[in-house]
Amino acid sequence: MRDAIFTGTLMVLFCSMPATPAGHSSVPLRQATPPPSPAREHRIAAAALYSRRSRRLVQSYLRLKLLEMRERDLDRARQVVERKLGIKSLLGETPSPVAR
């Protein structure tokens, strides 16, 4: 009987220890930060818009487009010389790419 009381007392103490509230900790708890808004996640830095690499990329793209337009105009002039197109197509507005 004596061992049963001792064992029962130990069981009650050990089982109730985790249920008691912990004392104040010496390290303060970290404050919860709000999640970042979706608009800020995809925002590009202002410096990246004017970086040398971005400028060079846009310049090369525009240069390529200009060369393509010149090539189309030269093709149109060649077709007029070969009499595949009339002179009005050369002197008029540049047709859209769909009009070919």
Side-chain angles (χ1 to χ4, degrees):
M1 182 86 172
R2 189 174 134 194
D3 292 331
I5 293 176
F6 180 71
T7 308
T9 307
L10 285 177
M11 280 288 265
V12 168
L13 287 176
F14 283 124
C15 290
S16 65
M17 290 280 263
T20 59
H24 294 289
S25 63
S26 60
V27 178
L29 294 176
R30 193 170 149 198
Q31 294 289 334
T33 57
S37 65
R40 289 184 176 238
E41 289 178 5
H42 301 292
R43 191 173 283 181
I44 299 172
L49 292 174
Y50 302 106
S51 68
R52 290 180 183 172
R53 182 177 181 186
S54 298
R55 267 195 3 233
R56 269 188 262 127
L57 181 67
V58 170
Q59 284 174 347
S60 63
Y61 175 77
L62 291 175
R63 204 175 297 126
L64 177 67
K65 284 295 183 187
L66 183 65
L67 289 174
E68 287 176 353
M69 288 177 10
R70 285 181 184 165
E71 184 179 0
R72 273 190 245 130
D73 285 342
L74 288 174
D75 283 341
R76 209 165 36 138
R78 181 184 51 80
Q79 289 177 347
V80 168
V81 169
E82 293 174 351
R83 297 183 187 247
K84 292 180 182 175
L85 287 176
I87 190 73
K88 289 185 179 179
S89 65
L90 183 64
L91 300 176
E93 287 186 28
T94 305
S96 66
V98 182
R100 285 184 172 191

